Structures are given as C-alpha cells and as structure tokens.
Amino acid sequence: MSYSQNIMDDEYEKFIRRMNPPRVVIDNESCKNATVIQVDSANKHGILLEVVQVLTDLNFIITKAYICSDGGWFMDVFNVTNQDGNKITEEPILDYIMKSLGPDSCFASSMRRSVGVTTGVDHTSIELIGSDRPGLLSEVSAVLTNLRCNVVNAEVWTHNTRAAAIMQVSDDETGGAIADVERLSMIKRLLCNVLRGSNKSRGAKTLVSHAVTHTDRRLHQLMFADRDYERATGDGSDDKERPNVNVVNWQDKDYSVVTIRCKDRPKLLFDTICTLTDMQYVVFHGNVDTEGPEAYQEYCIRHVDGSPVKSDAERQRVIQCLEAAIERRVSEGLKLELCTTDRVGLLSDVTRIFRENSLTVTRAEVTTRAGKALNTFYVSDSSGYPVDTKIIESVRQTIGQTILRVKGCPEELNPVQQESPTRFLFGGLFKSRSFCNFGLVRSYS
C-alpha cells in the first residue's frame, strides 16, 4: 500500500468517524454480577480486537460477550468484572474506558498502522524467536548482562519446542535506549547464536527496535510466523488436553462457524480474536460464555476477501492455529513470584540459579516499577518429572525466602529458616558476574 493511499484511507476513516462517532455505554444496574459495556461504532477490520485489547489490558475478566458486525455497523456487548469477580465501579477506571473507546479515543485508527505501537525513548525492544531448551532464558540473560544491558520488562512464551520473547532493555550507564549501531549489531549476533544453539534445522531470529509494540499481540505474531502450530508426526501430546476447536461451513449464510471449548483462563478471548484477526478473518457474529470452569466461544467468520473457509486444508489450519493460540499462554509448571530491588544482572542471576537446580522456565513475566523488580516465573523440572519441593526450598534459600515466593504449590512446603532479603542481592553478585564472563568467553571466543 502506497503512502498516498494510506493518507487517503486515514482521511476517509476520520470522515466516517465524524459522521458516526463511537458510542460507549457502561451499565452497572442491569446485570447482578458484572458490569455491562456496550460499544457501537462504524465497522472496519480489526475493530473487535482493538476493543478486546483495551479491556484485556485493564485486566478485566470477560465473562460473557455478544458480537454483531454485519453491514457497516459494529456492536459489542461485554460483561466484565475485576480480578476479584466484582463489578467495575471506580470512577477513574470508568472514565478511562470512556476515553479509550468513546468518541475522543484514538482506537478507531487503522489496525494495520498504529494499534499497540508507540515510540519509546527510554528503552530498546528486542524480539527473539528460536528453539526452546532448558536454560535458554538464563543464557540470554547472561549475554545481555555481559553487554551491560538492563532488562526492564520482558515476556517469554514457550510452545511446541519453540520459544519467543520480547525484552525491553536499557543501557546500564545511561538508563536510556541503546543507540550505538555497532553495539546493537553485536547484541543481535550474540543472541541469535544463543537462540540457534545446536538446532540447525529450525531458524532463530533477533530483531532490535526502538518502538514499543503490544507485547502479547506481537508474541502471537512471532510464534504464528514461526509456524509453532505445526505438530510433528507422532506428537505424543494428549489429545484430551487440547482445546476442542471445530470449524464448519454454514452454507445458507455463507459463513464458517468456529466453536471453541476449553478450560477458561485470563486473556483467552484476546488470544483467539487476535489469532483470527492476524489470519485475516472477520468475525461477523459471536457469542462468548466463560462463566464456570469451561469457556465456550462461537464465531461466524469470513476471510477478508468475503469467502468462508474454502477447503479442508484451510479448515485444519484454522483449527491448529487457534489451538496454538490457546496453548501458548497456558501456565505449565510451578508459579514463582519474585519481588526485590531491581539491579543490572538480576534476571541473569535468578535464571542461573534455576538452571543450576535443573529447573526450566516455561513462561515468564518480568516487570520493573519504581526501582522494584516484580517477576513471575513458571518453572518445571528439566527432566520432565514433577518439581521436587526440596529443590524449590533450596532455590528459595539461595535467593531469599522473602524475595521468592511459591504460588499454587500442590502441597505445603516445609518451613525453612528465613533468609535475609539482602543475602541474594549482594552475596551472589560476584559469583554471578564471574559466571557470566566465563560463559560468554566459552561460548563466543
């Protein structure tokens, strides 16, 4: 699409928007258990994802949804609660919803060009995709520490032997984005070597950017482009644990009907709508019900060219891609939460200790706020056995009982003498740096 065509499209969208501004109604009276949010707007491809993205980013739980976008008009109704299952009543949050989705919002701009993308000046974004293996996050973190990069935020997903990550890093000395071209080139080269490992049959990619993308959507795009939805012949995964996804054609209405049944979890609706949108399908009608342990989703879809699913091969691809989208965020393993003062090399030290204790990270969320590191790790035993509670206690003793906490442990851990929260912050610092230097020289010299 040419630059002039983009300008014409933008002006046309602005005209349509002025003629038909979005209308948002927030109702806390009609439903006993949830806040009802209704969004009406001129229709365009991707608008459903934009609305769901706003609600998901607020950490709302969407318990029900009704979608209708036939013709030139779009109407969505969502029943939402907060994380505690209560209605949304806080005025600042309600005002934010109105500003984000209402007439004065910018959410109606084209998905192709602007959604989830802003310019960042305080960090550099690194996108990674490669073969998963035990200790991979530890190796990546060690390289970044050695290159004097501080990990400010990060999200790591693993699925079907592949690993993807988006890491926001800052310069150790300046605290801002990394501008040196040669240094950025070295970061890309060394990280690509780590990601590639000994697997020569599958590629590895590293992209360095100063732009900020919507992390979850970008992770879906990275893994989709990497074809993580393709399962090897004789895949030993249990079919009973897979989501139940079905696609049939509704000949009378010229739609394809997608139905999904699976265990409910946060952000499930975003993951499925994100995948359908990026696969260039339009949801014309939909019904979502997630009350209870199981989620049910039904969508009437067409491709952007106006056609339903045309072949069995296309049908199987839609099923596989939706299964993968649901599975990528499934939190396998034991949940560990770390809260401590942030410092350069913290992520490298923590993941090194995990690796030394035969723990592999299946998913990770790394956040820094006001000088505090708030990290969540899902870990499993590298050999595939259940995680040994003695190993977890050993890890907690090394890092600090008050720093690393266990969430969702299947059985109570034996009480262990409390460790000083400063023991890990300073006691292992020199050991960590020597390890990083040794590992880097050994791997890349």
Side-chain angles (χ1 to χ4, degrees), residues 133-144 191 194 351 355 444:
R133 65 178 184 275
L136 178 60
L137 181 57
S138 173
E139 295 177 35
V140 168
S141 303
V143 170
L144 291 173
L191 288 179
V194 170
T351 53
R355 182 171 68 171
Y444 304 111

Side-chain angles (χ1 to χ4, degrees), residues 231-288:
R231 298 184 185 272
T233 304
D235 184 358
S237 59
D238 190 350
D239 288 342
K240 294 182 180 179
E241 297 180 359
R242 289 187 190 177
N244 185 345
V245 182
N246 192 28
V247 180
V248 297
N249 279 359
W250 186 4
Q251 301 295 347
D252 293 343
K253 298 294 184 179
D254 210 26
Y255 291 128
S256 292
V257 180
V258 178
T259 57
I260 301 171
R261 292 185 184 274
C262 64
K263 183 179 179 181
D264 189 29
R265 60 163 176 78
K267 301 187 178 182
L268 178 63
L269 179 60
F270 172 85
D271 294 337
T272 55
I273 295 298
C274 178
T275 298
L276 288 172
T277 302
D278 285 338
M279 292 182 71
Q280 299 298 300
Y281 290 102
V282 179
V283 176
F284 287 87
H285 299 278
N287 182 40
V288 176

